Amino acid sequence: MLKISEFSKLSHLTIKALRYYEKEELLKPASVDEWNNYRFYETSQLETAAKIKSYRQLDLSIEEIKAVFNGTDVKEILQEKLKLLTREKHLIESRLSIINSILEDKEMKYQVTEKVIPEKIVYTAESVLKNYSDCMQWIPSVGQECLNLNPELKCEEPPYEFCEYLDGEYKETDVRIRHNEAVTAFGKENEHIKFKKLPETKVLSIYHKGAYDSIGEAYAFLMKYAEQNGYQIAGLARECYIDGIWNKETEEWLTEIQLPVEE
């Protein structure tokens, strides 16, 4: 039998760690002296200690190690850990790339972030507009039409609305557009206004400041970022108009572009 201090030396686990694993019922002493409360371990328990130490070095949680000891296939847990660490690796590499660019004094006009848009109910409408600028008059008219149909309907807070351009190419005129705005419930429909549920969506997000005639630079940056970082495009880009002709001067217009992606 080994005293806790001896077992600590042989297992390369601190006494504090051993007491913690005892409390968590991962590694209990073989016996405890009822008079002085001294803890004793058997040499065979060194194998268990080594497994715990190894799993902890792989960043398995106490609960995950318990699951393994209770019969769960360790490969299943390691597969999930691999997915998690791969995502973390991707995020770290992206951050390092941005930091290195800043340190190298490269121009950082745009910065890309990844976020998840929760599942939402939206009302949606489609139209063909003479040109892009007409959307700033068309969007409010769509909102008013939906409100006339559904006077009690509430928009989601914080608000979330966006436009998608449906043509397979850039067009100067006759632009096919779809507007979506998140609401709290399904409502009445007509030939223009429809309701649907958008699934949870992972997007790459970028902000463009200025007039829309230069927004192509932001799209180019975003597409290159997605390609270089192994993302697969999973839907139409979404343009969210934060500031525009209704409240700002041209150079202060702010548009968020969200690109649905998957890895």
Side-chain angles (χ1 to χ4, degrees):
M1 300 285 281
L2 300 170
K3 293 181 179 179
I4 191 170
S5 58
E6 296 169 327
F7 192 80
S8 170
K9 291 178 182 178
L10 293 173
S11 65
H12 291 190
L13 292 172
T14 65
I15 292 176
K16 181 179 180 181
L18 291 172
R19 292 190 181 277
Y20 175 65
Y21 295 145
E22 177 187 353
K23 179 182 176 183
E24 293 294 331
E25 299 186 347
L26 275 177
L27 182 57
K28 291 183 176 182
S31 65
V32 179
D33 191 299
E34 63 181 31
W35 297 106
N36 53 30
N37 218 29
Y38 287 174
R39 283 152 168 76
F40 296 93
Y41 294 81
E42 294 179 350
T43 54
S44 60
Q45 290 180 283
L46 288 169
E47 183 180 353
T48 303
K51 286 183 179 179
I52 294 172
K53 187 176 181 67
S54 174
Y55 290 149
R56 291 296 284 163
Q57 288 174 341
L58 295 176
D59 199 35
L60 268 64
S61 68
I62 295 298
E63 293 305 315
E64 288 170 329
I65 297 173
K66 285 181 181 179
V68 172
F69 285 178
N70 287 329
T72 300
D73 187 349
V74 67
K75 289 185 178 180
E76 294 180 8
I77 293 176
L78 291 178
Q79 285 287 352
E80 291 302 313
K81 188 63 63 176
L82 178 61
K83 293 178 184 177
L84 176 62
L85 291 175
T86 300
R87 288 195 295 268
E88 290 178 353
K89 176 176 176 285
H90 172 73
L91 289 174
I92 290 170
E93 288 176 346
S94 298
R95 291 167 185 162
L96 286 174
S97 176
I98 293 171
I99 291 170
N100 285 329
S101 295
I102 293 172
L103 292 176
E104 293 170 8
D105 292 326
K106 292 181 181 177
E107 182 181 4
M108 287 298 295
K109 184 176 180 180
Y110 298 111
Q111 292 192 19
V112 180
T113 58
E114 179 186 302
K115 59 185 179 182
V116 174
I117 308 299
E119 180 182 86
K120 294 181 182 296
I121 298 170
V122 299
Y123 75 83
T124 181
E126 296 183 17
S127 185
V128 177
L129 305 179
K130 185 175 180 180
N131 53 59
Y132 283 94
S133 61
D134 289 344
C135 73
M136 294 306 158
Q137 287 74 43
W138 175 70
I139 292 172
S141 69
V142 170
Q144 188 60 54
E145 184 176 357
C146 183
L147 182 61
N148 292 341
L149 268 178
N150 301 277
E152 304 301 321
L153 188 65
K154 302 294 183 183
C155 292
E156 190 175 270
E157 290 294 340
Y160 180 65
E161 60 179 316
F162 61 91
C163 286
E164 299 166 295
Y165 293 93
L166 307 178
D167 295 305
E169 58 182 322
Y170 175 77
K171 297 178 68 176
E172 293 285 352
T173 61
D174 298 326
V175 180
R176 292 178 61 226
I177 185 174
R178 178 165 59 222
H179 176 256
N180 306 264
E181 183 164 7
V183 291
T184 56
F186 286 89
K188 295 180 182 177
E189 299 181 339
N190 63 15
E191 58 180 330
H192 301 128
I193 305 296
K194 305 297 180 183
F195 287 82
K196 65 181 180 181
K197 183 174 287 186
L198 292 179
E200 179 182 275
T201 308
K202 179 189 291 185
V203 301
L204 296 179
S205 168
I206 194 172
Y207 288 90
H208 170 74
K209 193 166 187 178
Y212 304 131
D213 57 9
S214 61
I215 201 169
E217 298 175 11
Y219 273 101
F221 187 96
L222 187 58
M223 293 298 183
K224 183 177 180 181
Y225 180 94
E227 181 181 352
Q228 290 179 337
N229 290 278
Y231 290 97
Q232 298 295 320
I233 298 173
L236 294 172
R238 304 174 179 182
E239 287 189 10
C240 306
Y241 305 112
I242 300 168
D243 291 316
I245 191 172
W246 58 90
N247 68 338
K248 297 285 185 179
E249 297 295 329
T250 305
E251 64 274 7
E252 295 181 334
W253 292 357
L254 184 62
T255 306
E256 181 186 8
I257 302 171
Q258 297 178 348
L259 183 65
V261 293
E262 56 189 22
E263 296 180 78

